[in-house]
Every structure is written in structure tokens, then in C-alpha cells.
């Protein structure tokens, strides 16, 4: 058999560890990576160009589909940018609802990341555990917006509607006994807030379960410790944000440093890593799960005690109630204009960023006074992370590429846009 | 503008004198226009000098200002036949030979200083060159690498000194720069499987372009004229 030493390896675009449609062209020396060239764009849908052709509100749904595992955080960035240009501040209750759902989304995202990262490097059980908890949070999405994933729930000026008084319930079926259904519906008898609170009571125990499976696991540590080390200077130079930057030891979190909504009133901590390797980023994200749980609990307390409006009372921006439309001419006109033409945003430009589960999600919006944006640029956190893949895997072995892709928490919806 | 941004603005004025033009903003964000020739030097200074310390290039994007502030539906004056009712989309035919309006293409850089917790936006117009060219900032911020590839791919802006300026997001063999305003939303070609030739073929698009909601500009009295930023085209 001929001896191969230098060769080029094609990885993906259809590969379970490619987290979607990543095509990697790897130049190898034996089993050592010499150069990694990611080919992206297989999921490019031209979201930004499409947004230029639609009234502002019609693009909120596109934002869900960017990073399709942290839907509401994407909406948040876009909605914040519009609000900044309009000079609108949503009511406090809407801000708390947004923060609560941002953190629910963070848990959703980190659970998917943990499950897939585990699965990629050989831990099957965690994946099943994570998806069990994701199911409950998806139900929260469903209760509030009607859909389990692409919610389109945030609106400029607030959120689409107030939190519901009831949760969807399981029904008796051929596959589930009524005793089992009764047990599954135990936490679903009350309001959404009751359900979320019951979840936050249970969830720290779940995190302990994941940690019991992984944190001191010998194989897990062999696959992640000292893999993909990034120094703090290098991380800043490469444009890292979020857990990728915090894993390298820089305490940078927009929720603390440039607080938006009500984050400045909430009590939470920012975990940072020390070595900047895959294991530290794992620890950072695990701690973020606990902190998000803490934030959600505070939001639930506040939302219980403070009922009130969830949108601004400006019908140039937010549709009037269905009831008003039946008897009030003005409301009917507002409704008609909003849904046929939308609202115009004053000329100007702004950049609004939120601390997305993956890093800084920013929307750069240029408006020229029309009812459609002139230019929308989505600053996806995963984009500079994937761009640094070559930097991170050079000199590592082939299986480590999978560990690095996993630790970067890559989702192609946002990178390709 | 927050007091800290005001301090930064003063420092920038003192350091760069007239080379950075501040753009007024109603949201209190700092935006500066930089000349093409000064870009690399200004970027280096902003990264390295202790007054600025912008360690991270958070975002870089191309902008095509063609048709800025133009509406498809006249709302201010009624003609003899009343307000216009249907949107007429002007079809812009790109002319490959022409030189551009000097304020058509711009690249916008978003800088972030993690140590000083500051943000800054720089805008550079490419001038009338066809194709538009700017110096690359990969040497200053590594993260510019893919962002510049993206801007090249989508807007056709060339970056001088970029080590590997290839297309990033569009298909292998794609023709044109899809985010330019004169590139139709429906694209120029579509792909389908041809049963006769037994392979996938490219053919001109069969979709008619249409406007669902016309682009409308209203002079809303809530946005007082003195609060409005002038259109970026001077």
C-alpha cells in the first residue's frame, strides 16, 4: 500500500459533527491538521437583503431563523435597534418578560450545545437528558407565542401579548396511562409563571446530573482539556465574544458592561475561565445555565407582583385592540395603515447589541425615513468564531476538530444568514 | 451622548484633528467618516494608543447608498389625479463600465474597546473607482479577514492587501454581487434538474419581480426636522 503523508481531507457538508452544513477542507500531515479552510454559505438565504424589501415588523420572523436555537435573543437585537431609532422605551413589564425569555432562550441554547457537544465526542446520555429539559422550555415558547421555535414574540414597543394564564397540557392517549399523564401535567395546572418557577426549582438538580456525567469524566477531560487554547489577547484580536471570550478569562458580558432592558436591576454573576481551552468554555457555559436560572427566578417574582401593559400605548407603532377596532374609526385606520404600510422610522443609523447565548449579537440598522430598513447588517457571534477555526485547530489531531467545532457552538443559520 | 463618549470624542478630535469627520447621531453613538488614504494609520492608532485601546473589530460591513432616501410612492404632493396608488419599481440596470458616485459604496467598521468599555463606528467611502477598492485591515485586526471576504462577496468591494480574498457566502461560481442595490432580490439565474440533459442546469429566473408593500417615506411630525440626521449622501 502506498504511503500517504500529506493529503487534503474533505469534511462535510453532510456530516453529523459539522453542526449543520459546514464544509471543511483540511490539509493534513498524517493525522495532524496543518490548515483548515471552512467553506460556508450553504445556508445563505440573504436575510439582510430580504429585510430591505419588507416593512420593519415583517422581518422579525426572519430573525428567529438566523440562530435557530436561540430564537428570541435574535429578535431582541433587531427590535432593540428599531426602538433605538424610534426613541421608544417599552413598558417595564415587557422588559422583564423579554429578559425572562432571553434567559429561557440561553438555557435552550446551552442545552442544545451541551447535548450536541457531548454527542460529538462520545457522550450519548447527556444528549437525551438535555432534550428532556428543552422540551419544557419549548412548551413555554408555545404557551406564549403559539409556536415552539420561531416565536416572533418581541415587537418594537414591547412584546406581542401578555403571559398566558394556562399552559398546554398532555392528554390521555393509547400510549400513556392516565396516571402518567397526571404526573406529566402536575406542573401545568397553573399559569405560565407557575410552570416556569417549577422548572427553575427542578433545573439546578438537572445541571448537577449533567455535571455528574461530564465534569470529572476522564474521557471528557481527555477530549477537552488543553484543546483549542485561545489566549485573551488572541481572543480579542479574533473578535471573540460571549463564552468564547469569557473562557479565555476576560470578564466581558454586555448584560453587565452595557446593560440593556432591566439587567442592571437583576442579581447574577459572570463566570470566567482560566486556561481558554474547551474544558474551561464548558465550565463557563455550565455556570451560565445556573446564573440564567437565577435570573429567571427573579423575573418570575417581579412579573407575579407587577401586572401592567406589555406594549407602548402608541398605535402608530403597535396595533390597537381588536375590540377598539369594532367601534372606533381612528383605531380602524391605525390598524389598516400598520398592516398595509407599516410605520416609518426616522432617518439615521444605529447599532444595537445584546448578549446572545453565543456572544454579541448586534444589528446595524440604517434607515432613510422609509417604512423599510435601508440596510440591516446582522453581526452574528458565530461568524468570527468560525473564522478563527483555522487558528484554533492548527497542530491538533483530526478528532480535536470536532471538539473545537463543538466548543464554538456553531449554528449555520446565523453564520450564513 | 454620555459623558464618557464625549470625552472620547474630544480625544479623537485632539488626536486626529480634521482627518476624522464626526457624523451627527440622534442615538448618541459616535460615528466618524475617515478618508480612504488615512484608514490604516487611523485604525492602528485607535487600536494601539492608550487613549483609545480598541482591541476588537466587532463588525465590518459594506453599504450601498444607491437610492438612499428615495421612495416608491409619492405621499407629500397630490397630483391632478390624486395620490399615486401603485408602486412603480424603478429597474436599475447596472452599467459595468461607469465609475461610481463617490458616495455610493461605503464600508462601516464597528470597533469595541473591551478595556475601556467604549464603542466607535468608522465609515469609509470607497470613492468613484470601479471596482471599489479599500486597504485591508487584516493586519490590524485579524477578525477583519472573513468580514472583508463577505463585503467583497456581497458588494464587490476589493480589499488591498487581504491575504485570501475569495467569495465567502455565495455559491461556487456565482456571478455578481448580490447585496448591491442594483442586483434584483430574485437574482438572475435559477437552478433546476433537467431530465433531458440528466443534470442540474442554470437558467434565467422565471419569477416576475413584484412589490408587495411600496417603499414609503413619510415626514412624520413626531420626528422633528432638527432631530433628523441628514441623509448620508451629502
Amino acid at each position: 500500500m502506498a504511503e500517504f503523508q500529506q493529503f487534503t481531507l474533505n469534511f462535510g457538508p453532510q456530516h453529523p459533527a459539522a453542526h449543520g452544513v459546514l464544509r471543511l477542507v483540511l490539509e493534513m500531515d498524517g493525522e495532524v491538521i496543518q490548515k483548515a479552510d471552512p467553506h460556508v454559505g450553504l445556508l445563505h438565504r440573504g436575510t439582510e437583503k430580504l429585510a430591505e424589501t419588507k416593512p420593519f415588523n415583517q422581518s422579525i420572523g426572519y430573525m428567529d431563523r438566523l440562530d435557530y436555537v436561540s430564537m428570541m435573543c435574535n429578535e431582541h437585537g433587531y427590535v432593540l435597534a428599531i426602538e433605538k431609532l424610534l426613541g421608544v422605551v417599552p413598558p417595564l413589564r415587557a422588559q422583564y418578560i423579554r429578559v425572562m425569555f432571553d434567559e429561557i432562550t440561553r438555557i435552550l441554547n446551552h442545552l442544545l450545545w451541551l447535548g450536541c457537544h457531548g454527542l460529538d465526542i462520545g457522550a450519548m446520555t447527556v444528549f437525551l437528558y438535555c432534550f428532556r429539559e428543552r422540551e419544557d422550555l419549548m412548551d413555554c415558547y408555545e404557551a406564549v407565542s403559539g409556536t415552539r421555535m420561531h416565536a416572533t414574540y418581541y415587537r418594537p414597543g414591547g412584546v406581542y401579548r401578555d403571559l398566558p394564564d394556562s399552559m398546554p397540557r398532555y392528554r390521555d392517549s393509547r400510549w400513556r396511562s392516565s396516571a402518567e399523564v397526571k404526573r406529566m401535567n402536575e406542573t401545568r395546572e397553573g399559569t405560565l409563571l407557575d410552570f416556569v418557577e417549577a422548572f427553575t426549582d427542578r433545573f439546578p438538580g438537572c445541571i448537577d446530573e449533567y455535571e455528574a456525567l461530564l465534569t470529572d469524566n476522564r474521557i471528557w477531560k481527555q477530549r477537552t482539556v488543553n484543546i483549542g487554547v485561545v489566549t485573551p489577547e488572541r481572543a480579542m484580536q479574533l473578535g471573540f465574544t460571549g463564552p468564547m471570550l469569557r473562557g479565555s478569562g476576560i470578564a466581558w458580558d454586555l448584560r453587565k458592561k452595557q446593560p440593556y432592558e432591566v439587567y442592571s436591576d437583576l442579581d447574577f454573576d459572570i463566570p470566567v475561565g482560566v486556561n481558554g481551552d474547551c474544558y474551561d468554555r464548558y465550565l463557563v457555559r455550565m455556570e451560565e445555565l445556573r446564573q440564567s436560572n437565577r435570573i429567571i427566578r427573579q423575573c418570575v417574582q417581579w412579573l407575579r407582583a407587577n401586572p401592567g401593559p406589555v406594549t407602548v400605548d402608541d398605535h402608530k407603532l403597535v396595533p390597537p385592540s381588536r375590540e377598539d377596532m369594532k367601534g372606533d374609526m381612528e383605531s380602524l385606520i391605525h390598524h389598516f395603515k400598520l398592516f398595509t404600510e407599516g410605520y416609518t422610522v426616522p432617518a439615521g443609523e444605529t447599532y444595537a447589541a445584546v448578549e446572545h447565548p453565543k456572544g454579541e449579537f448586534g444589528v446595524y440598522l440604517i434607515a432613510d425615513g422609509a417604512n423599510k430598513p435601508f440596510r440591516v447588517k446582522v453581526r452574528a457571534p458565530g461568524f468570527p468564531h468560525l473564522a478563527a477555526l483555522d487558528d484554533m485547530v492548527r497542530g491538533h489531531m483530526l478528532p480535536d476538530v470536532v471538539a473545537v467545532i463543538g466548543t464554538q457552538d456553531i449554528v449555520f443559520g446565523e453564520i450564513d444568514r | 451622548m454620555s459623558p464618557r463618549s464625549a470625552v472620547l470624542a474630544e480625544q479623537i478630535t485632539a488626536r486626529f484633528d480634521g482627518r476624522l469627520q464626526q457624523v451627527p447621531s440622534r442615538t448618541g453613538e459616535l460615528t466618524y467618516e475617515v478618508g480612504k488614504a488615512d484608514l490604516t494609520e487611523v485604525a492602528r492608532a485607535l487600536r494601539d494608543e492608550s487613549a483609545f485601546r480598541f482591541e476588537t473589530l466587532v463588525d465590518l460591513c459594506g453599504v450601498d447608498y444607491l437610492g438612499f432616501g428615495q421612495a416608491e410612492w409619492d405621499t407629500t404632493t397630490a397630483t391632478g389625479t390624486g395620490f399615486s396608488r401603485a408602486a412603480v419599481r424603478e429597474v436599475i440596470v447596472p452599467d459595468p463600465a461607469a465609475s461610481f458616485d463617490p458616495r455610493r459604496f461605503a464600508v462601516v467598521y464597528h470597533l469595541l474597546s473591551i478595556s475601556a468599555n467604549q464603542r466607535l463606528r468608522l465609515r469609509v467611502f470607497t470613492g468613484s473607482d470601479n471596482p471599489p477598492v479599500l486597504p485591508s485591515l487584516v493586519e490590524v485586526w485579524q477578525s477583519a479577514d472573513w468580514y472583508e471576504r463577505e463585503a467583497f462577496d456581497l458588494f464587490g468591494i476589493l480589499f488591498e492587501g487581504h491575504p485570501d480574498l475569495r467569495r465567502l457566502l455565495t455559491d461556487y461560481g456565482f456571478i455578481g454581487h448580490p447585496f448591491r442595490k442594483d442586483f434584483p432580490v430574485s437574482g438572475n439565474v435559477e437552478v433546476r434538474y433537467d431530465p433531458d440533459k440528466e443534470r442540474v442546469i442554470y437558467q434565467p429566473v422565471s419569477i416576475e419581480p413584484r412589490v408587495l408593500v411600496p417603499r414609503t417615506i413619510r415626514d412624520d411630525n413626531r420626528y422633528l426636522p432638527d432631530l433628523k440626521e441628514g441623509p448620508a449622501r451629502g
Side-chain angles (χ1 to χ4, degrees):
Chain A
M1 200 177 87
E3 285 266 317
F4 285 101
Q5 197 56 37
Q6 303 273 348
F7 59 97
T8 305
L9 182 76
N10 181 59
F11 176 106
Q14 303 296 335
H15 188 286
H19 286 216
V21 284
L22 170 66
R23 181 177 171 216
L24 269 177
V25 179
L26 300 167
E27 278 171 31
M28 318 272 300
D29 177 14
E31 214 183 333
V32 178
I33 314 286
Q34 292 197 310
K35 186 173 177 246
D37 179 17
H39 288 209
V40 302
L42 288 105
L43 204 58
H44 178 62
R45 295 146 295 175
T47 304
E48 295 161 4
K49 179 107 176 168
L50 285 170
E52 289 170 13
T53 65
K54 292 187 164 49
F56 284 92
N57 268 13
Q58 292 185 16
S59 303
I60 301 174
Y62 280 125
M63 297 299 140
D64 287 312
R65 287 150 180 84
L66 288 172
D67 181 354
Y68 43 76
V69 295
S70 29
M71 295 68 73
M72 288 204 196
C73 289
N74 307 340
E75 290 173 27
H76 202 170
Y78 179 66
V79 164
L80 268 187
I82 298 173
E83 282 174 354
K84 245 170 135 180
L85 275 182
L86 285 167
V88 169
V89 180
L92 206 53
R93 185 172 169 86
Q95 298 191 22
Y96 269 98
I97 293 176
R98 283 186 189 175
V99 167
M100 183 173 86
F101 271 95
D102 272 12
E103 297 307 320
I104 286 178
T105 309
R106 196 177 313 277
I107 294 180
L108 272 172
N109 177 81
H110 282 7
L111 285 180
L112 185 111
W113 159 80
L114 180 67
C116 296
H117 191 25
L119 193 63
D120 281 352
I121 48 184
M124 181 87 196
T125 319
V126 204
F127 183 78
L128 300 173
Y129 280 25
C130 288
F131 272 67
R132 185 186 60 190
E133 269 72 60
R134 263 173 70 84
E135 199 59 29
D136 286 340
L137 295 176
M138 295 279 208
D139 287 344
C140 295
Y141 263 48
E142 184 181 342
V144 86
S145 73
T147 51
R148 286 158 51 82
M149 291 192 71
H150 302 305
T152 327
Y153 180 55
Y154 295 1
R155 296 295 149 89
V159 292
Y160 173 59
R161 61 170 194 176
D162 207 345
L163 302 173
D165 293 331
S166 62
M167 283 296 292
R169 285 177 211 153
Y170 288 101
R171 273 184 235 137
D172 287 354
S173 70
R174 288 159 64 189
W175 299 278
R176 288 201 179 98
S177 67
S178 53
E180 196 184 349
V181 169
K182 190 156 180 280
R183 184 188 55 76
M184 289 165 79
N185 281 339
E186 243 168 32
T187 53
R188 293 165 189 267
E189 300 301 329
T191 63
L192 171 74
L193 286 175
D194 296 335
F195 181 75
V196 174
E197 191 173 41
F199 177 84
T200 55
D201 287 337
R202 188 160 52 83
F203 190 56
C206 300
I207 305 174
D208 292 339
E209 282 179 17
Y210 315 143
E211 291 224 68
L213 284 170
L214 294 177
T215 305
D216 290 322
N217 183 323
R218 186 161 47 86
I219 304 172
W220 181 258
K221 285 181 105 166
Q222 280 170 350
R223 292 299 305 271
T224 54
V225 174
N226 277 330
I227 302 296
V229 179
V230 185
T231 63
E233 296 75 29
R234 196 71 196 137
M236 288 194 283
Q237 175 70 210
L238 289 166
F240 281 13
T241 47
M244 296 289 289
L245 187 62
R246 292 193 281 276
S248 295
I250 297 173
W252 175 260
D253 189 318
L254 293 178
R255 293 175 295 170
K256 283 274 189 213
K257 301 286 180 178
Q258 300 177 354
Y260 49 97
E261 309 294 12
V262 289
Y263 276 114
S264 47
D265 300 340
L266 297 169
D267 190 22
F268 61 101
D269 299 315
I270 301 301
V272 286
V274 179
N275 304 316
D277 58 4
C278 292
Y279 188 67
D280 276 21
R281 288 186 282 268
Y282 155 76
L283 293 177
V284 164
R285 288 190 174 108
M286 293 311 273
E287 185 54 31
E288 281 184 18
L289 285 176
R290 292 183 200 277
Q291 296 300 331
S292 291
N293 200 60
R294 227 173 117 192
I295 298 174
I296 294 173
R297 288 187 73 89
Q298 294 168 46
C299 290
V300 170
Q301 297 303 331
W302 192 94
L303 286 166
R304 275 227 179 96
N306 297 280
V310 292
T311 46
V312 288
D313 187 26
D314 176 1
H315 297 312
K316 301 270 184 248
L317 186 64
V318 178
S321 78
R322 211 71 209 168
E323 216 169 284
D324 288 348
M325 274 169 55
K326 305 292 180 196
D328 180 20
M329 191 66 193
E330 185 97 348
S331 297
L332 192 65
I333 296 170
H334 274 138
H335 182 272
F336 178 75
K337 286 310 281 180
L338 262 174
F339 285 92
T340 52
E341 186 183 299
Y343 47 84
T344 57
V345 166
E349 55 181 349
T350 192
Y351 178 82
V354 293
E355 186 70 27
H356 183 277
K358 295 184 169 63
E360 175 175 327
F361 182 91
V363 173
Y364 174 49
L365 189 68
I366 305 180
D368 60 351
N371 57 343
K372 303 172 181 182
F374 184 76
R375 168 100 168 100
V376 181
K377 169 75 201 313
V378 174
R379 192 270 177 200
F383 189 84
H385 296 163
L386 185 65
L389 184 78
D390 178 40
D391 212 79
M392 288 174 76
V393 299
R394 231 174 244 216
H396 279 306
M397 308 279 268
L398 179 61
D400 298 333
V401 176
V402 177
V404 170
I405 294 173
T407 197
Q408 287 187 341
D409 199 2
I410 294 297
V411 164
F412 275 89
E414 52 154 14
I415 290 168
D416 292 347
R417 284 159 288 147
Chain B
M1 200 187 296
S2 72
R4 291 177 61 247
S5 304
V7 171
L8 178 65
E10 271 172 36
Q11 282 169 330
I12 288 174
T13 321
R15 168 67 177 78
F16 298 106
D17 209 16
R19 283 187 294 169
L20 295 193
Q21 297 290 322
Q22 191 171 357
V23 183
S25 160
R26 58 200 308 274
T27 52
E29 292 162 64
L30 282 183
T31 311
Y32 287 89
E33 265 178 34
V34 191
K36 198 167 144 178
D38 296 330
L39 178 64
T40 315
E41 191 202 329
V42 167
R44 263 184 210 287
L46 286 174
R47 185 192 66 180
D48 295 334
E49 287 176 18
S50 60
F52 310 120
R53 288 177 293 163
F54 287 99
E55 306 100 345
T56 304
L57 174 72
V58 163
D59 190 28
L60 180 159
C61 73
V63 183
D64 180 359
Y65 279 101
L66 185 69
F68 187 88
Q70 286 172 17
E72 288 165 336
W73 190 15
D74 197 9
T75 54
T76 45
T77 49
T79 60
T81 55
F83 287 109
S84 62
R85 278 291 172 263
V88 186
R89 166 154 286 181
E90 265 186 68
V91 180
I92 314 165
V93 184
D95 178 3
S99 65
F100 295 125
D101 179 336
R103 290 178 77 79
R104 176 169 172 191
F105 287 107
V107 171
V108 179
Y109 301 84
H110 283 95
L111 311 184
L112 170 68
S113 167
I114 285 173
S115 45
N117 194 3
Q118 294 270 29
R119 284 181 192 277
L120 184 69
R121 175 159 56 233
L122 299 178
R123 181 171 26 237
V124 187
F125 281 95
T126 58
S128 53
D129 300 350
N130 186 3
V133 187
L134 279 184
S136 167
L137 291 186
V138 176
E139 293 287 303
V140 188
W141 291 289
Q142 181 69 46
S143 55
D145 183 349
W146 272 30
Y147 284 125
E148 286 179 355
R149 279 179 65 185
E150 184 193 326
F152 159 69
D153 188 3
L154 302 180
F155 290 92
I157 299 167
L158 300 179
F159 292 89
E160 222 162 21
H162 190 285
D164 185 18
L165 199 65
R166 282 176 295 153
R167 283 189 181 270
L168 184 70
L169 294 178
T170 51
D171 199 2
Y172 304 112
F174 189 85
I175 298 166
H177 299 288
F179 276 33
R180 287 189 177 183
K181 292 279 178 181
D182 52 16
F183 191 96
V185 178
S186 53
N188 293 319
V189 286
E190 61 186 23
V191 280
R192 69 173 175 89
Y193 177 73
D194 189 327
D196 301 331
K197 290 179 185 154
E198 295 189 326
R199 64 179 171 87
V200 171
I201 58 159
Y202 285 80
Q203 62 185 35
V205 278
S206 51
I207 333 165
E208 293 267 322
R210 56 178 182 161
V211 183
L212 291 179
V213 180
R215 189 178 175 80
T216 315
I217 295 181
R218 285 185 189 280
D219 272 322
D220 199 316
N221 58 12
R222 287 171 301 168
Y223 316 130
L224 296 171
D226 57 314
L227 281 174
K228 268 171 96 173
E229 275 172 53
R233 288 154 67 78

